[in-house]
């Protein structure tokens, strides 16, 4: 039910205290020696996963070996369903008042782009099962990268070669376009439907750009009668030559409602490289390696810009409204004072705040820094370099590699589970919807 999906992403904010394969700059990084904090809780995992890893010193974990089916493998201590529990009963004005059952969060998904296959994978973060894989452009040459999840749980994916595509998370929202009485939709990596026959694709909006990376949903508005978030919009940006545009798209129809030129900003490598929204749904975009930080007001579409002193690859906005650029350095921009703080932390890719005081950054080891001091507090070794980082509804931190794997990490212990079978994965945007929920505003119900 759509109300259950909305609850997943809103509830994630209560659960915690908290670039590119083809033709883009890549590279790993190493942590500065800090280790994960010790704890005794186990990670949640697929009950069919094998457990053949062992705990490593300093809270790290050895690799849980790959299984024969390209599925999931666990490491020592994994236990299905363990981890953070949410008790959402009795919260006024919350979605569970218009839903069946006791209001417990039932599921969450992470959406990973398989860039070289021109597909996107829908992976259940609790079972670690890939439940769908979908083509993202008609010519199967989209080269998708960034994904963004709305508060209703639906995903939008930007194709580097141009075009924006939305998929429904819930089959009840999909459309029986061929009239056969059932929803024809992918069930996993071995069941990719031909373009035009995937009935959980909501819309595709073609766009003609030589580089289209960013995508970020706005919060929308909570509607109690419908028990869903409505009036959702999605931001994206594209570049042709030295011309950069930011686009404001209707989330229900895919119609471009506003095209905003970004004058005076050099497109550089790829135009605007990453994007996120703040609590008001305003657009924030960064450029690869630094350059310019771009802000577009959701109401007026006024553009503001600032030079970016800290080299960036990924970017995010945290619950305090700070804008972060992330790479070897962590750069924290305060929109109120219009000032930067920065530190060398040995990151290398995407980043996301966890809802408490930690900003997680991609690298190997994956690192967590204090959002106030910018000091490294966690360093978690993984089998290979991860380029994207996200947080799921239960508080586990995900790292997406550029090989074939994604890792679900328990930040308290450093133990991890592995999802395999990805093809040219490359995602370091808000691939679970946690960042959108974490900044608040809009569709997040009042408590």
């Amino acid at each position: 039910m759509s109300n259950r999906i909305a609850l997943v992403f809103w509830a994630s904010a209560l659960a915690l205290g908290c670039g590119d394969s083809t033709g883009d700059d890549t590279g790993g990084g190493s942590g500065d020696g800090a280790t994960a904090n010790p704890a005794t809780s186990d990670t949640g995992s697929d009950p069919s996963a094998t457990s053949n890893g062992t705990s490593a010193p300093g809270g790290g974990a050895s690799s849980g070996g790959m299984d024969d089916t390209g599925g999931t493998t666990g490491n020592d201590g994994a236990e299905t369903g363990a981890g953070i529990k949410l008790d959402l009963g009795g919260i006024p004005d919350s979605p569970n008042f218009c839903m069946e059952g006791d209001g417990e969060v039932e599921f969450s998904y992470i959406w990973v782009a398989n860039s070289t296959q021109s597909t996107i994978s829908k992976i259940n973060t609790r079972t670690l099962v890939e439940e769908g894989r979908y083509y993202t452009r008609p010519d199967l040459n989209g080269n998708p990268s960034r994904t963004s999840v709305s508060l209703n749980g639906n995903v939008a994916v930007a194709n580097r070669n141009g075009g924006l595509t939305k998929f429904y998370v819930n089959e009840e929202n999909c459309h029986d376009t061929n009239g056969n009485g059932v929803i024809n939709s992918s069930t996993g990596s071995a069941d990719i439907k031909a373009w035009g026959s995937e009935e959980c694709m909501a819309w595709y909006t073609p766009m003609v750009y030589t580089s289209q990376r960013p995508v970020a949903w706005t919060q929308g508005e909570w509607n109690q009668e419908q028990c869903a978030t409505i009036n959702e919009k999605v931001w994206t940006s594209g570049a042709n030559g030295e011309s950069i545009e930011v686009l404001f798209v209707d989330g229900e129809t895919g119609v471009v409602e506003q095209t905003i030129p970004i004058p005076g900003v050099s497109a550089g490598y790829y135009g605007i490289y990453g994007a996120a929204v703040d609590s008001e749904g305003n657009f924030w975009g960064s450029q690869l390696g630094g350059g310019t930080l771009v802000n577009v007001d959701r109401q007026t579409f006024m553009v503001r810009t600032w030079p970016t002193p800290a080299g960036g690859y990924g970017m995010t906005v945290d619950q305090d409204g700070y804008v972060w650029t992330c790479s070897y350095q962590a750069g924290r921009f305060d929109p109120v004072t219009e000032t930067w703080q920065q530190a060398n932390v040995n990151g290398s890719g995407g980043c996301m705040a966890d809802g408490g005081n930690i900003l997680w950054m991609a690298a190997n080891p994956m690192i967590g820094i204090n959002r106030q001091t910018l000091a490294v507090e966690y360093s978690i070794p993984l089998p290979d370099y991860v380029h994207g980082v996200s947080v799921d509804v239960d508080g586990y931190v995900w790292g997406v590699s550029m090989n074939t794997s994604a890792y679900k990490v328990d930040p308290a212990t450093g133990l991890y589970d592995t999802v395999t079978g990805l093809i040219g994965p490359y995602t370091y945007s808000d691939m679970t919807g946690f960042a959108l929920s974490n900044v608040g505003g809009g569709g997040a119900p009042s408590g």
Side-chain angles (χ1 to χ4, degrees):
M1 297 175 63
S2 60
N3 49 332
R4 294 183 185 272
I5 301 164
L7 177 57
V8 167
F9 296 97
W10 169 68
S12 62
L14 302 177
L16 301 173
C18 71
D20 290 281
S21 59
T22 304
D24 286 5
D25 179 36
T26 61
S30 59
D32 68 355
T35 58
N37 290 345
T40 57
S41 62
D42 297 332
T43 60
S45 70
D46 182 357
S48 65
T50 58
S51 295
N52 59 353
T54 57
S55 178
S62 68
S63 172
M66 188 179 299
D67 67 13
D68 295 334
T69 62
T72 62
T73 61
N75 64 328
D76 190 54
E79 178 184 343
T80 303
I84 297 170
K85 301 296 184 182
L86 303 180
D87 180 5
L88 301 177
I91 301 174
D93 302 324
S94 65
N96 62 316
F97 272 67
C98 56
M99 63 187 289
E100 298 175 359
D102 60 7
E104 181 181 356
V105 174
E106 290 190 343
F107 60 86
S108 178
Y109 290 98
I110 186 169
W111 300 79
V112 179
N114 300 289
S115 298
T116 57
Q117 193 186 36
S118 195
T119 64
I120 182 174
S121 289
K122 171 188 175 183
I123 300 168
N124 189 308
T125 62
R126 290 186 164 172
T127 66
L128 307 187
V129 172
E130 181 173 346
E131 296 183 8
R133 189 174 294 202
Y134 318 96
Y135 288 119
T136 63
R137 209 170 81 149
D139 61 1
L140 312 188
N141 189 34
N143 195 12
S145 60
R146 320 302 195 261
T147 67
S148 178
V149 178
S150 76
L151 292 180
N152 278 321
N154 303 314
V155 68
V157 55
N159 290 283
R160 290 191 187 101
N161 293 335
L164 191 67
T165 315
K166 173 185 173 181
F167 295 93
Y168 292 117
V169 65
N170 189 349
E171 189 171 294
E172 293 181 17
N173 294 324
C174 305
H175 302 293
D176 180 17
T177 55
N178 63 10
N180 67 351
V182 297
I183 297 298
N184 184 49
S185 184
S186 171
T187 57
S189 60
D191 180 32
I192 309 174
K193 304 303 182 185
W195 184 266
S197 67
E198 173 54 64
E199 294 181 339
C200 283
M201 188 183 80
W203 47 256
Y204 165 71
T205 301
M207 298 177 181
V208 182
Y209 292 112
T210 56
S211 174
Q212 185 176 349
R213 263 84 179 162
V215 58
W217 283 96
T218 68
Q219 291 87 345
E221 304 162 4
W222 177 252
N223 184 290
Q224 186 71 16
E225 291 183 359
Q226 297 184 32
C227 198
T229 301
I230 63 171
N231 197 30
E232 294 176 315
K233 310 294 181 183
V234 61
W235 295 99
T236 188
S237 177
N240 283 315
E242 284 301 305
S243 173
I244 302 175
E245 295 176 333
V246 171
L247 298 97
F248 191 63
V249 180
D250 183 87
E252 184 66 26
T253 65
V255 171
V256 177
E257 295 186 350
Q258 195 79 22
T259 300
I260 305 102
I262 309 298
V265 178
S266 171
Y269 293 113
Y270 306 107
I272 295 177
Y273 204 64
V277 302
D278 58 26
S279 63
E280 302 299 321
N282 302 315
F283 173 92
W284 292 90
S286 64
Q287 294 192 287
L288 177 63
T292 302
L293 180 68
V294 176
N295 170 242
V296 180
D297 186 275
R298 175 177 173 169
Q299 303 301 325
T300 66
F301 301 109
M302 183 181 74
V303 177
R304 296 189 299 167
T305 61
W306 299 266
T308 307
Y313 212 112
M315 68 92 63
T316 193
V317 177
D318 69 18
Q319 66 267 35
D320 295 322
Y322 292 118
V323 181
W324 295 84
T325 59
C326 306
S327 186
Y328 182 84
Q329 290 183 316
R332 186 187 69 197
F333 179 72
D334 184 338
V336 176
T337 63
E338 301 184 36
T339 57
W340 288 88
Q341 298 292 324
Q342 60 206 71
N344 293 338
V345 295
N346 290 351
S348 191
C351 55
M352 185 175 292
D354 70 354
N357 203 36
I358 299 298
L359 180 83
W360 290 98
M361 299 179 64
N364 193 17
M366 185 170 67
I367 62 175
I369 69 168
N370 186 298
R371 290 192 304 110
Q372 307 306 318
T373 67
L374 275 63
V376 176
E377 294 192 3
Y378 293 84
S379 181
I380 300 178
L382 294 171
D384 61 341
Y385 165 72
V386 293
H387 198 55
V389 168
S390 193
V391 179
D392 71 21
V393 68
D394 294 312
Y396 295 103
V397 182
W398 286 73
V400 176
S401 77
M402 296 173 65
N403 189 4
T404 61
S405 302
Y407 304 98
K408 176 183 177 179
V409 181
D410 184 338
T413 65
L415 299 176
Y416 60 86
D417 291 307
T418 303
V419 175
T420 63
L422 302 172
I423 299 177
Y426 190 94
T427 303
Y428 59 92
S429 47
D430 189 13
M431 49 191 144
T432 62
F434 181 86
L436 178 61
S437 175
N438 189 38
V439 297
S446 60

